[in-house]
Amino acid sequence: MQSVKYIQGLLVIYDQFLNGMMVNEKSLDLEICLRLVVFLCKMKIGGFIKTSLIDFPPYVCCVVFTQGCNFRCYYCHNPELVYSKLFGPIVPMEEIFCYLLKRKNLIDGVVFCGGEPTIQSDLFEVIYKIKNMGFLIKLDTNGSNPEVLEKVLPFIDYVSFDIKAPLQEEKYKLVCRTKVDVSKIIESINILRNSNLQYE
Ligand code: SF4
């Protein structure tokens, strides 16, 4: 019974954290929340740039590089985020949340790129949390997961969509070196076109 109450208490604190109500970074509650974040997050992060002036203009942002991609583009500039043999150490989610909490008034936004962020199973949860902390969100995507794109869209401020080739399966296969369901790419394009979001 005691432990049920304890967990319920933690969930209340966690909720407050998600809604940006916790600002005292030294509090024990915040410490517990950060541990919960790490415990609950499954997202694999292969890199983290703390400050960038060029990835989300005109904003000051940090950049989260997710690990793993469902494409194998021959010109890829981030193979260490695509091929598992080249993967480096994972950046703990706790590090990113701590950094964001401390820079709340100095950083405007967070960019999610990769790799391909939409293949991360908890992309929505992570974006939801960071958006609720008051940051703008930019998503870089190859457009292969329209369901995920549609789900995260209400919490996104800008999308950078990389259309790899003319919208034909054989052309996509040539560039991405994997079988791509082009109907998914078209679906993602339509989702963006029908939204009020800024995109490129
Ligand atoms: S979609 Fe992007 S990250 Fe993935 S292989 Fe192509 S260029 Fe690299």
Side-chain angles (χ1 to χ4, degrees):
M1 193 62 191
Q2 278 287 61
S3 57
V4 172
K5 278 195 175 155
Y6 180 68
I7 290 168
Q8 282 171 340
L10 282 184
L11 290 175
V12 170
I13 294 166
Y14 188 59
D15 247 17
Q16 291 173 346
F17 175 72
L18 291 186
N19 292 309
M21 288 158 65
M22 301 190 59
V23 287
N24 180 3
E25 67 193 58
K26 289 200 177 82
S27 77
L28 177 64
D29 289 349
L30 184 58
E31 176 76 32
I32 294 168
C33 279
L34 287 171
R35 285 184 188 184
L36 267 176
V37 165
V38 176
F39 179 70
L40 294 172
C41 279
K42 294 180 219 86
M43 181 180 279
K44 294 205 165 21
I45 298 165
F48 179 50
I49 294 178
K50 290 184 171 174
T51 311
S52 167
L53 301 176
I54 58 171
D55 287 282
F56 192 1
Y59 304 111
V60 180
C61 67
C62 47
V63 186
V64 174
F65 294 87
T66 60
Q67 203 176 61
C69 186
N70 50 350
F71 287 5
R72 294 289 182 270
C73 309
Y74 66 86
Y75 55 79
C76 183
H77 290 295
N78 295 324
E80 70 283 359
L81 295 166
V82 174
Y83 299 96
S84 55
K85 272 191 219 157
L86 304 177
F87 284 175
I90 295 283
V91 180
M93 183 58 82
E94 186 180 13
E95 184 183 321
I96 293 169
F97 274 95
C98 281
Y99 179 80
L100 289 175
L101 284 165
K102 285 182 189 157
R103 304 290 190 293
K104 237 179 159 180
N105 300 316
L106 300 171
I107 299 277
D108 303 310
V110 179
V111 177
F112 286 86
C113 64
E116 172 53 37
T118 63
I119 65 170
Q120 301 291 328
S121 62
D122 56 354
L123 180 71
F124 172 79
E125 285 80 1
V126 173
I127 283 180
Y128 177 80
K129 282 166 204 160
I130 294 178
K131 183 73 180 171
N132 273 304
M133 288 164 73
F135 294 97
L136 299 168
I137 307 281
K138 176 177 175 241
L139 175 69
D140 292 2
T141 180
N142 60 24
S144 56
N145 285 305
E147 301 82 9
V148 176
L149 180 64
E150 194 160 33
K151 191 173 174 191
V152 297
L153 219 60
F155 304 95
I156 302 264
D157 299 280
Y158 196 93
V159 174
S160 179
F161 191 138
D162 192 0
I163 297 176
K164 306 285 184 186
L167 297 169
Q168 297 154 16
E169 306 245 326
E170 67 281 8
K171 299 250 166 75
Y172 248 79
K173 190 170 182 184
L174 206 63
V175 175
C176 305
R177 297 192 298 187
T178 189
K179 189 170 168 24
V180 177
D181 182 351
V182 169
S183 71
K184 298 270 183 192
I185 309 287
I186 295 170
E187 203 180 326
S188 291
I189 292 172
N190 288 333
I191 288 169
L192 277 183
R193 275 190 172 156
N194 293 328
S195 74
N196 294 323
L197 217 62
Q198 282 194 294
Y199 59 87
E200 64 183 21

